[in-house]
Amino acid sequence: MTIVAANPAVRRRARISLPFTLVFGGVIIGLSTIVAFFPSLFAPYDPAAMDYNALLQAPTVAHPFGTDSFGRDVLTRVIHAYTVDMQIALFATLFPFVFGTIVGALVGYAGGWANALFGRVVDAIITFPFLVLVIAIVAVLGPGLVNMYVAVSVVGWVFYARLVATEVQVQKRLDYADSGRAMGYRPLRIIFRHLLPNAITPALVYWMTDMALAILLGSSLGYLGLGAQPPTAEWGVQIADGKNFMNTAWWISVFPGIAIVITGLGFSLVGDGLAELLRTKK
Amino acid sequence: MNAALSQTLIAAEEVSKEFLIPQGMWRRLTGQPRLAVHALNGVSFQINRGETLGIVGESGCGKSTLARCLVRLFDCDDGRVRFEGQDIADLKGADRRAFNRRVQMIFQDPYSSLNPRMRVREILGEALSVHKMRPRAQIPARIAELLDLVRLPSDAADKFPHEFSGGQRQRIGIARALAVEPDVLVADELVSALDVSVQAQVVNLLLQLQEKLHLTVVFVAHDLRLVRHISHRVAVMYLGKIVEIGPTEGLFSSPRHPYTKALLDAAPELDPTKRNRTVAARGELPSPINLPTGCLFNTRCPRAFDRCFVERPLLSDRTPAHRAACHLTDFGAPSLQNLEAIS
């Protein structure tokens, strides 16, 4: 017998040694989520409260991030924006991820004309620059967060579908897929239970990156007035608010910008860490 | 004869399979004929209940394609495979699943044949529960039984495939196939990816299991010694056709087809006094896209004569137990050694 007795100590250590990037990114995203759910616990003021005695005030102890042109506390608004922006990160990507993954898995497995048709749909959608297409759809549907989610979903699923389809096409040619067929398993079982777990990693990693991109996109659309609407605290809206005061009150735009960068970094780190964690062992 | 016929479990009848080569738009528009790899060109044989049929041949001769046709991973283009007299291409729904359960395949590559994200327990449990082999409560016990059957420790159940060696992974593959209690095992190059020291273990395990479970085995391999060790009967394939089929000892001691003889001569011999340096087959396997006319072996046969370039020889019916497809041995069926003695 040549069974290598697996040392339990080694196995246990292997199980808890998560990639550093995953832990670090996870902490950022975890804290961001907590802030998003309970912004009032962290914010010193009311996000809509205007203080006409403190307009465009530079950072002080009372207002660590300064105040904007209405005298609203920038720190408070950055904190309250977490609620909206984390929501954007999730809702603008969840449907594309789920739907794109399912379509990609089915199309990749079916191959043939289904794949050819899918290829043309992808071509048609990616011919347009992403932002331009989203703006066009929002322009038709009207501005606002929900319409923005719809617009992003209509376009975004193809990227996931393409990633998954490519990977499923590789996986379905491996012997374990044939073994499932020889066992008489139904195609849906083979696709979703056998192939997908081996094919989803790139899509999962892309999802994390995409959440970061969604925040940027949400901010861009907010900036253009097509996403979250002005009284709402949203990082893009805040940056747009501050653009007229860049020379005199840089803090209105810079702090929301930093929040975007940190959150985006968190998602990217989680993506990197997941890629490492889920890499198939050979 | 009738008793022998009723024992036939699987019968291949003129099975042919070709794979079209993808071609560009230009070739298609200009109406050029589509090229195809002729993987199987009319393969016929029967497998009796409880016997082991060895299928040998060089790489590219269609062995694996044949194995996949037998378990219906491929549908054949022409001809049919019968299982208990029934054409397997006609099986649908529950019948098809029953066929899948009864005819199992073990794959060549121990690394790609197990899902890397499923624990051994899940791999075996899935086969058991999909085919409802045991009530849910008894599945863990059955998994332990199966692991014991292929001599893996019971703690193997909670591990992932990458935690095992190649030989152990092949045993997991065998356990998965046996989980559904099949009648037939089609083993496609079961041990060719393993170290020689492990090959014997796995092959002997297969032999013991066959005896214990009364399995019918189709053993596809390119290693002649292995096939000789394990098979009751052997079929020799060349360019998608069976050139000789017969009982193992008869085929190895008195081959009737020049290709079989070439294969046997090419096998390494440890005893230097037994080595022979005559070249039995020249050159390479011809392209399966453009098959030679006449006998498929005529490009390499040292003894080919005019008739071989015109007429494709059929498996001789004169000697039903040990048949060869060769014009030389067709009449009166003397073995090749005798022929050589005469000439």
Side-chain angles (χ1 to χ4, degrees):
Chain A
M1 254 337 170
T2 52
I3 307 296
V4 182
N7 183 342
V10 172
R11 285 179 66 196
R12 199 170 314 128
R13 206 164 52 112
R15 200 163 291 169
I16 58 163
S17 80
L18 294 172
F20 171 73
T21 48
L22 184 61
V23 175
F24 192 49
V27 167
I28 295 177
I29 299 310
L31 291 178
S32 305
T33 309
I34 295 171
V35 173
F37 272 107
F38 310 106
S40 326
L41 292 182
F42 302 92
Y45 301 95
D46 183 289
M50 301 179 203
D51 182 354
Y52 294 109
N53 296 321
L55 298 180
L56 296 174
Q57 208 173 63
T60 57
V61 178
H63 299 286
F65 287 4
T67 59
D68 65 9
S69 55
F70 295 101
R72 296 176 297 194
D73 181 49
V74 173
L75 174 62
T76 301
R77 290 183 61 77
V78 166
I79 288 173
H80 275 268
Y82 267 100
T83 312
V84 176
D85 281 283
M86 293 299 280
Q87 215 184 79
I88 291 174
L90 184 64
F91 290 159
T93 57
L94 186 63
F95 174 82
F97 171 68
V98 173
F99 182 73
T101 299
I102 293 172
V103 170
L106 294 175
V107 159
Y109 189 77
W113 63 266
N115 202 26
L117 182 71
F118 169 70
R120 299 294 80 75
V121 172
V122 171
D123 287 346
I125 291 178
I126 64 176
T127 308
F128 297 95
F130 186 63
L131 192 60
V132 172
L133 195 52
V134 169
I135 289 173
I137 297 173
V138 171
V140 172
L141 299 175
L145 275 182
V146 174
N147 289 343
M148 186 193 107
Y149 298 151
V150 172
V152 173
S153 298
V154 166
V155 182
W157 67 272
V158 296
F159 300 102
Y160 294 92
R162 198 167 52 163
L163 275 177
V164 173
T166 315
E167 200 57 34
V168 164
Q169 275 169 338
V170 174
Q171 296 290 330
K172 76 173 178 183
R173 290 192 171 81
L174 296 180
D175 281 346
Y176 75 86
D178 272 339
S179 132
R181 285 185 279 265
M183 268 289 174
Y185 296 159
R186 292 193 165 88
L188 285 182
R189 172 182 285 273
I190 295 175
I191 295 170
F192 290 106
R193 192 161 153 70
H194 293 248
L195 303 181
L196 198 53
N198 290 292
I200 204 169
T201 305
L204 210 55
V205 172
Y206 179 70
W207 187 23
M208 293 301 133
T209 319
D210 199 27
M211 289 215 221
L213 294 175
I215 290 180
L216 290 179
L217 181 76
S219 300
S220 305
L221 292 178
Y223 179 92
L224 294 172
L226 297 169
Q229 295 304 303
T232 320
E234 196 275 335
W235 296 327
V237 175
Q238 284 184 272
I239 293 173
D241 284 349
K243 71 176 185 291
N244 296 331
F245 308 101
M246 276 309 278
N247 294 327
T248 50
W250 52 267
W251 51 88
I252 304 177
S253 298
V254 166
F255 287 111
I258 291 174
I260 293 176
V261 169
I262 291 175
T263 316
L265 180 73
F267 281 118
S268 293
L269 287 174
V270 170
D272 271 9
L274 274 182
E276 201 178 318
L277 185 71
L278 297 176
R279 200 170 43 217
T280 322
K281 290 147 200 110
K282 274 278 143 70
Chain B
M1 195 65 202
N2 264 337
L5 267 181
S6 68
Q7 291 218 316
T8 301
L9 192 57
I10 294 182
E13 296 171 4
E14 290 297 314
V15 173
S16 295
K17 176 78 191 170
E18 57 177 39
F19 297 98
L20 292 175
I21 297 172
Q23 62 181 7
M25 192 67 92
W26 177 249
R27 288 188 66 93
R28 218 178 299 174
L29 288 178
T30 51
Q32 296 182 49
R34 288 212 73 170
L35 298 178
V37 175
H38 302 275
L40 295 175
N41 304 298
V43 172
S44 301
F45 60 86
Q46 289 166 359
I47 306 166
N48 298 324
R49 215 176 279 275
E51 86 172 339
T52 301
L53 176 72
I55 296 179
V56 285
E58 287 167 277
S59 7
C61 73
K63 301 178 302 243
S64 290
T65 309
L66 179 60
R68 277 156 195 263
C69 283
L70 290 180
V71 300
R72 214 184 150 186
L73 278 176
F74 291 151
D75 283 317
C76 27
D77 298 326
D78 225 338
R80 60 197 61 76
V81 175
R82 290 186 187 279
F83 179 70
E84 294 187 329
Q86 172 119 49
D87 187 344
I88 62 171
D90 294 339
L91 297 174
K92 288 195 178 67
D95 287 342
R96 168 144 196 200
R97 272 192 299 285
F99 163 77
N100 284 138
R101 183 188 72 72
R102 294 182 62 193
V103 182
Q104 273 298 308
M105 180 150 175
I106 312 171
F107 293 83
Q108 170 174 16
D109 181 357
Y111 292 93
S112 72
S113 61
L114 301 172
N115 186 340
R117 298 219 185 271
M118 287 171 90
R119 291 173 198 276
V120 173
R121 178 183 302 290
E122 296 166 311
I123 293 173
L124 299 179
E126 182 179 34
L128 290 169
S129 61
V130 168
H131 284 285
K132 302 192 174 61
M133 302 305 296
R134 291 285 187 284
R136 185 158 292 280
Q138 288 174 29
I139 285 180
R142 177 61 180 159
I143 289 171
E145 235 172 80
L146 285 166
L147 289 175
D148 190 50
L149 200 61
V150 296
R151 304 212 197 95
L152 285 171
S154 51
D155 69 344
D158 290 313
K159 293 187 192 167
F160 285 101
H162 68 85
E163 297 178 66
F164 296 92
S165 69
Q168 291 169 340
R169 294 171 65 121
Q170 282 308 63
R171 284 190 243 174
I172 297 169
I174 295 175
R176 174 177 60 190
L178 293 178
V180 294
E181 297 166 30
D183 299 319
V184 183
L185 273 187
V186 178
D188 181 14
E189 296 276 12
L190 176 66
V191 295
S192 66
L194 305 179
D195 288 344
V196 177
S197 54
V198 186
Q199 288 187 351
Q201 283 180 21
V202 175
V203 165
N204 287 331
L205 174 69
L206 183 69
L207 278 175
Q208 286 156 16
L209 290 172
Q210 177 183 25
E211 200 156 308
K212 196 168 169 183
L213 306 170
H214 311 293
L215 295 167
T216 305
V217 176
V218 181
F219 191 80
V220 179
H222 64 267
D223 185 328
L224 291 167
R225 280 168 305 175
L226 264 179
V227 169
R228 185 174 193 169
H229 177 60
I230 199 170
S231 314
H232 300 121
R233 285 198 304 141
V234 174
V236 180
M237 283 187 72
Y238 185 77
L239 273 185
K241 229 174 153 47
I242 290 183
V243 295
E244 182 165 359
I245 180 166
T248 308
E249 275 323 302
L251 187 134
F252 276 85
S253 58
S254 54
R256 289 188 180 161
H257 194 284
Y259 178 63
T260 313
K261 190 162 163 25
L263 271 187
L264 295 177
D265 287 348
E269 185 67 65
L270 274 180
D271 179 354
T273 62
K274 285 189 188 163
R275 277 181 200 158
N276 94 32
R277 300 193 180 277
T278 55
V279 180
R282 299 156 293 176
E284 304 281 321
L285 201 66
S287 152
I289 299 170
N290 301 306
L291 295 172
T293 50
C295 175
L296 294 174
F297 190 53
N298 64 24
T299 57
R300 300 168 75 189
C301 183
R303 307 168 59 93
F305 62 105
D306 346 351
R307 193 181 166 197
C308 304
F309 294 93
V310 186
E311 184 188 341
R312 191 166 291 178
L314 301 171
L315 278 174
S316 157
D317 280 325
R318 286 169 170 272
T319 46
H322 182 172
R323 309 165 77 191
C326 178
H327 292 311
L328 277 173
T329 48
D330 194 18
F331 37 90
S335 76
L336 274 181
Q337 260 105 356
N338 297 344
L339 262 185
E340 249 153 347
I342 298 162
S343 52

